[in-house]
């Protein structure tokens, strides 16, 4: 018997090293190809290997897939894979009442319970009585399924994630071909490893079929999507591709100067695979050298980017000031993580907003943008580059761990579908040109790269004369330059789209969000709108400057609620920009995204308070 | 640098910008400016192909005085910024202008890594053993016990010898010159520019205000003949007014000997080879100190080594030929795609 479901949340959880990220990714790839809407949330510890079997070492990968209503990776799982008691312990507090739990019985020994902090055996006391438990001797069955391939014990045990994945595939009537192809490609040169993974996968699938693990399996129908060609993509990969596309559409070469840091490093990993495109990459000695090499490359005429995360951003600060002063195009990507200091390296947060807006010495205005979903990191990388090149300014692009590592289907944009970017390049002699001459519309100076005959000039971090660019300490000139640099950024508001509101005719409550919480906020608001509540949603991607109609939108609502994963940084920013409005806040700082149910509770509370 | 020769070479003054030079009268920096302008004129390069990148400090105002491309950046980071310039456009002749504080204190990390990578650029290190622009604090090259504004009781730290630091970072080109010898400096700058890889030129530079005569024992009119060993590739290491003193290897130590004494002839004197890959002798020459030994001047080391920017571009070129992707659409449409109609 097969039951049709609208959407399902599955969480793969196990020891760091149990291959849960891979199992989750392979399941995602298959559901994506089957045409489902998906959103994923990998959640793993920052230690390479925390002590085995402990809650600290639990690595998780959550995927939400479905026909409709998939705006986020979901609040709580419908299916939990718990490879050991620690994985169960780490997730017990957050399961749906009818959750199906798949357990490797081989790793549920007394020693394992103790390590995970259980007092007794959760399979025998009433701990799991509300759930459907599928307990299978996964480790031993996996070993049996690969026994004749001549592998060592460790390699055999390592295949247990595929046995488990096989069970999940059976549960949701998903085909195995995609995953089998993956292993045949990945282990082309080690066919015995490919075979072992395939054997384990099939064995898991057949095992579930044979024992009829639960009475019925489920089917999730494909989502209704815009026609087109899609592929699955993570935020970091999408950002990397967005930069490749932007450089191409600007007819320039791409340069990345960077230093590895979690969770931004995958942008480097992705771009370095594509040297065929001409991308020049300097993996520098530190964060400062990363951005500095990018500034040098920008001076020399390349589309320059630097990628980092919170602590790395702190180190880049002085150099960002130099890029602002010299008015060179540059994109600085900050894939935010929990802070302060080293904070929570693998967890998500939105707490670097104030740093992006103000974290420099002097009056140092800069463009700040943020992405909303994994796939739209492509668009925002592209847009950040466009603004940098067309307005001659550094741009900070904020994404989040949640976006960078998360995945969703991306409707592929071919290069011919993308708009051209028009850098303010001057590549031949203009006898009247001066380094800090500006165009009257954008106030942007010209970009003249070394090698251009007759246009030799000097720039630097010292204050410059408003036209010649020569060093100037003249007080009036400084005042004028400070104002001009601000005005240049403000005027970008004339070249970006107006802010939009999702939700018709609402007047009571406007939910305001920014960055990677888009899907979750939208999902929560959407559910209340369906219930007929007087609520609307607006999500900001242009943070500095803000869209020109922002105040106009705010004025239409009785209440404004700003929701963000920090202590209220965007709310405070809005208070400074538009002090005429009152902003309520909903904040969460736990290294985790919002949950739809918490948001709905909060929204309802405010809506009901309004009725009192 | 791949630039075609000019029909009529530029004169040194053609490289001077219209900006007023604002160094203190008598500053050693003027000599470096002259030497670099002369060298560029002799190298027969186009102004537009030359870029000067500097950090912070007195010396780092240098780019403003050159009628080329120039970038006056932030404290200690010139080598990192110049690396980006050179990688972005390997056809440019890139010169980093830096001081001892800039390159060896705040920029120490970038300095050693630029040397290690062997980026094809020239790094001119102005060493006056003091912080000039911040008005007289000791620097990483100040001698132990040095009394300055920030060390009224004398420093309690040992200095870097820039040459040792550079050779330790596997420098492929290191030269040292006094700011009093524009001719030697010009020749060294020319060799530096011709070298493929990072050319480090340390200038013993005098700060007339905060550290006057710090190098006087080496550069003084009366002392220079005895206290400087000017190295020339292929020539015996002779010095002194009549070139009667020389260096020889005694066991694992260098020693000064005099021609004609104890049967010493020119045959006993070491002959300078700047191209030997084993850095041992270069290292010994670089760390010679008064009064036992003279200070080595000129090009001490000039060896072939993989060049970073060149290797990086070769890798890109090879990937362009070998990749299965020819354009971005190939990439975007690769892997598991699916159609929704």
């Amino acid at each position: 018997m097969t039951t049709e479901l609208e959407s399902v949340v599955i969480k793969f959880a196990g020891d760091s090293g149990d291959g849960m990220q891979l199992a989750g990714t392979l399941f995602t790839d298959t559901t994506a190809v089957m045409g489902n809407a998906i959103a994923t949330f990998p959640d793993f510890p920052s230690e390479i290997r925390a002590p085995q079997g402990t809650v600290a070492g639990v690595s998780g990968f959550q995927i939400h897939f479905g026909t409709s209503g998939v705006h986020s990776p979901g609040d709580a799982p419908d299916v939990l894979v718990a490879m050991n008691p620690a994985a169960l312990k780490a997730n017990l507090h957050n399961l749906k009442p009818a959750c199906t739990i798949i357990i490797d019985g081989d790793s549920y020994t007394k020693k394992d319970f103790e390590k995970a902090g259980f007092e007794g055996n959760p399979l025998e006391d009433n701990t799991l009585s509300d759930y459907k438990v599928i307990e299978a001797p996964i480790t031993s069955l996996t070993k049996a399924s690969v026994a004749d391939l001549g592998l060592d014990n460790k390699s055999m045990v390592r295949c247990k994630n595929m046995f488990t994945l096989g069970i999940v595939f059976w549960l949701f009537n998903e085909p195995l071909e995609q995953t089998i192809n993956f292993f045949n490609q990945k282990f082309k040169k080690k066919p015995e490893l490919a075979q072992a993974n395939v054997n384990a996968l099939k064995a898991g699938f057949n095992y579930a079929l044979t024992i009829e693990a639960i009475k019925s399996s489920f089917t999730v129908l494909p989502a209704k999507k815009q026609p087109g060609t899609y592929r699955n993509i993570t935020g970091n990969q999408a950002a990397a591709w967005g930069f490749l596309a932007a450089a191409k559409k600007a007819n320039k070469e791409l340069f990345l100067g960077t230093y590895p840091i979690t969770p931004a490093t995958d942008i480097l990993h992705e771009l370095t695979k594509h040297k065929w495109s001409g991308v020049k990459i300097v993996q520098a000695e530190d964060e400062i050298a990363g951005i500095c090499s990018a500034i040098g490359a920008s001076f020399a005429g390349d589309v320059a980017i630097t990628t980092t995360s919170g602590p790395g951003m702190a180190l880049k600060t002085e150099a960002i000031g130099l890029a602002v002063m010299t008015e060179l195009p540059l994109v600085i990507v900050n894939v935010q993580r929990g802070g302060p200091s080293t904070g929570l390296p693998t967890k998500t947060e939105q707490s670097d907003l104030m740093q992006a807006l103000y974290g420099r010495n002097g009056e140092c205005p800069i463009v700040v943008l943020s992405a909303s979903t994994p796939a739209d990191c492509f668009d925002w990388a592209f847009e950040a580059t466009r603004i940098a090149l067309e307005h001659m300014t550094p741009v900070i692009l904020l994404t989040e761990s949640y976006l960078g590592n998360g995945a969703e289907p991306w409707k592929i944009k071919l290069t011919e579908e993308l708009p051209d970017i028009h850098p303010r390049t001057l590549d031949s002699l203009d006898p009247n040109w001066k380094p800090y001459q500006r165009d009257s519309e954008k106030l942007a100076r010209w970009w003249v790269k070394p090698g251009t005959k007759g246009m030799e000039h000097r720039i630097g971090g010292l204050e410059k004369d408003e036209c010649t660019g020569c060093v100037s300490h003249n007080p009036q000139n400084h005042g004028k330059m400070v104002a001009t640099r601000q005005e240049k950024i403000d005027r970008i508001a004339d070249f970006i789209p107006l802010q939009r509101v999702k939700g018709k005719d609402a007047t009571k409550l406007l939910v305001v969000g920014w960055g990677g919480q888009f899907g979750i906020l939208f999902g929560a608001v959407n559910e209340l709108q369906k219930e007929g509540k007087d609520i609307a949603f607006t999500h900001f991607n242009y943070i500095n400057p803000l869209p020109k109609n922002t105040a106009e939108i705010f004025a239409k609502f009785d209440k404004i609620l700003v929701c963000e994963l920090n202590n209220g940084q965007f709310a405070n920013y809005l208070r400074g920009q538009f002090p005429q409005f009152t902003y309520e806040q909903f904040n969460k700082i736990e290294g985790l995204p919002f949950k739809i149910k918490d948001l709905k509770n909060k929204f309802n509370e405010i809506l009901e308070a309004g009725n009192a | 640098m791949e630039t075609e020769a000019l029909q009529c070479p530029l004169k040194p003054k053609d490289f001077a910008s219209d900006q007023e030079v604002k160094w203190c009268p008598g500053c050693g920096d003027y000599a470096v400016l002259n030497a670099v302008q002369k060298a560029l004129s002799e190298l027969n390069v186009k102004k537009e192909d030359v870029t000067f990148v500097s950090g912070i400090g007195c010396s780092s105002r240098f780019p403003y005085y050159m009628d080329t491309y120039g970038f006056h950046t932030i404290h200690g980071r010139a080598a990192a910024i110049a690396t980006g310039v050179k990688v972005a456009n390997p056809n440019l002749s890139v010169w980093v202008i830096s001081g001892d504080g800039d390159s060896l204190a705040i920029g120490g990390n970038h300095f050693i890594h630029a040397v290690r990578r062997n980026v094809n650029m020239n790094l001119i290190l102005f060493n006056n053993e003091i912080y000039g622009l911040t008005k007289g604090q000791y620097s990483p090259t100040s001698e132990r016990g040095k009394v300055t504004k920030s060390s009224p009781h004398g420093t309690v730290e040992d200095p870097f010898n820039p040459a040792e630091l550079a050779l330790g970072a596997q420098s492929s080109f290191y030269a040292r010159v006094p700011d009093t010898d524009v001719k030697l400096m010009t020749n060294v700058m020319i060799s530096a520019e011709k070298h493929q890889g990072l050319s480090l030129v340390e200038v013993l530079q005098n700060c007339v205000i905060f550290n006057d005569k710090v190098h006087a024992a080496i550069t003084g009119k009366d002392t220079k003949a005895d206290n400087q060993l000017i190295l020339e590739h292929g020539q015996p290491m002779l010095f002194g007014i009549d070139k009667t003193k020389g260096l020889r290897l005694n066991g694992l130590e260098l020693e000064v000997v005099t021609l004609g004494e104890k049967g010493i002839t020119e045959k006993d004197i070491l002959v300078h080879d700047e191209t030997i890959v084993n850095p041992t002798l270069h290292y010994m020459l670089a760390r010679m100190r008064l009064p036992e030994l003279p200070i080595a001047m000129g090009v001490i080391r000039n060896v072939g080594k993989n060049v970073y920017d060149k290797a990086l571009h070769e890798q890109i070129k090879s990937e362009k030929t070998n990749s299965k992707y020819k354009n971005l659409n190939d990439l975007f449409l690769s892997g598991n795609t699916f159609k929704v109609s």
Side-chain angles (χ1 to χ4, degrees), chain A residues 540-551:
Chain A
F540 287 88
N541 297 103
Y542 293 96
I543 307 239
N544 191 37
L546 287 161
K548 282 184 353 184
N549 59 332
T550 302

Side-chain angles (χ1 to χ4, degrees), chain A residues 256-275:
Chain A
L256 166 67
T258 191
Y259 188 76
I261 184 168
T262 304
T265 319
D266 279 341
I267 303 178
L268 161 66
H269 290 165
E270 181 60 31
L271 279 175
T272 199
K273 289 185 210 158
H274 304 304
K275 290 199 176 130

Side-chain angles (χ1 to χ4, degrees), chain B residues 14-309:
Chain B
D14 294 326
F15 286 97
S17 76
D18 58 357
Q19 299 293 298
E20 184 192 344
V21 182
K22 290 181 176 170
W23 289 317
C24 305
C27 176
D29 292 359
Y30 287 95
V32 191
L33 187 62
N34 287 338
V36 168
Q37 289 171 351
K38 274 193 179 141
L40 287 174
S41 132
E42 287 189 33
L43 282 160
N44 199 14
V45 295
K46 297 185 204 164
K47 287 201 282 193
E48 65 267 25
D49 289 333
V50 182
T51 297
F52 284 86
V53 182
S54 63
I56 297 295
C58 296
S59 63
S60 288
R61 300 298 173 95
F62 194 102
Y64 294 123
Y65 309 141
M66 296 294 298
D67 194 22
T68 63
Y69 284 92
F71 199 173
H72 178 219
T73 70
I74 46 179
H75 217 161
R77 321 299 172 195
I81 290 172
T83 299
V85 172
K86 186 67 184 178
V87 166
N89 185 354
N91 290 328
L92 296 172
S93 166
V94 178
W95 299 67
V96 179
I97 303 294
S98 181
D100 44 307
D102 196 50
S103 259
L104 304 182
I106 189 166
N109 198 23
H110 312 308
F111 173 80
I112 55 173
H113 286 281
V115 170
R116 172 182 67 83
R117 290 192 184 103
N118 205 31
V119 185
N120 189 14
M121 56 193 192
N122 313 301
L123 197 161
I124 315 301
L125 180 72
F126 293 53
N127 185 3
N128 55 18
E129 299 185 12
I130 199 81
Y131 286 172
L133 201 70
T134 48
K135 298 188 172 57
Q137 300 77 25
Y138 69 91
S139 90
T141 52
S142 297
E143 64 185 328
R144 189 180 184 92
K146 178 89 179 170
V147 174
T148 71
K149 277 187 186 160
S150 59
S151 57
H153 316 296
T155 67
V156 289
E157 42 190 281
D158 287 325
F160 270 139
N161 173 353
E164 289 181 61
L165 193 63
L167 291 175
Q170 301 158 52
S171 175
S172 62
F173 183 106
Y174 169 78
R176 184 190 286 137
V177 289
D179 64 359
T180 47
D181 189 341
V182 172
K183 191 168 168 235
L184 175 64
M185 223 186 312
T186 306
N187 291 337
V188 162
M189 299 298 177
I190 290 169
S191 302
E193 173 60 14
K194 286 183 176 167
H195 171 75
Q196 296 294 304
L198 192 134
S199 309
L200 175 62
V201 180
E202 179 190 1
V203 182
L204 301 186
Q205 178 250 336
N206 190 42
C207 171
V208 282
I209 308 296
F210 296 108
N211 211 11
D212 196 21
K213 299 192 170 56
V214 62
H215 303 300
I218 307 167
T219 58
K221 275 204 174 94
D222 307 338
T223 51
K224 68 177 181 188
D226 282 334
N227 290 348
Q228 289 184 30
L229 166 66
I230 297 175
L231 294 165
E232 277 184 78
H233 181 65
Q235 296 300 313
M237 299 183 194
L238 292 170
F239 65 105
I241 291 169
D242 309 319
K243 297 276 178 200
T244 53
K245 293 192 208 176
L247 277 191
R248 77 166 180 186
L249 203 52
N250 181 2
L252 290 174
E253 300 288 341
L254 290 172
E255 73 172 350
V256 175
V257 292
T258 308
L259 295 181
E261 281 181 8
K262 297 175 191 164
I264 299 277
T265 69
E266 207 176 298
K267 277 186 193 158
D268 298 303
I269 305 301
L270 285 169
V271 171
H272 182 48
D273 183 355
E274 62 189 31
T275 65
I276 38 171
V277 175
N278 182 331
T280 311
L281 191 59
H282 293 159
Y283 188 76
M284 292 168 85
L285 289 169
R287 67 194 302 260
M288 292 196 299
R289 281 286 170 267
L290 297 172
E292 294 79 14
L293 293 161
I295 304 298
M297 297 291 182
V299 179
I300 292 180
R301 183 171 176 80
N302 184 2
V303 300
K305 192 185 158 192
N306 289 328
V307 174
Y308 176 77
D309 40 295

Side-chain angles (χ1 to χ4, degrees), chain A residues 344 347-349 565-566 587-593 595 598:
Chain A
L344 307 173
K347 308 292 177 185
T348 206
E349 213 164 275
L565 299 183
N566 59 44
N587 305 102
K588 174 169 173 171
I589 317 139
E590 297 170 2
L592 293 167
K595 285 194 190 303
D598 298 340

Side-chain angles (χ1 to χ4, degrees), chain A residues 366-392:
Chain A
I366 201 168
V367 180
V368 179
L369 306 179
S370 73
S372 307
T373 76
D376 87 356
C377 286
F378 180 93
D379 303 305
W380 291 104
F382 191 92
E383 176 67 348
T385 313
R386 179 193 73 80
I387 291 177
L389 296 180
E390 294 185 350
H391 295 265
M392 289 296 282

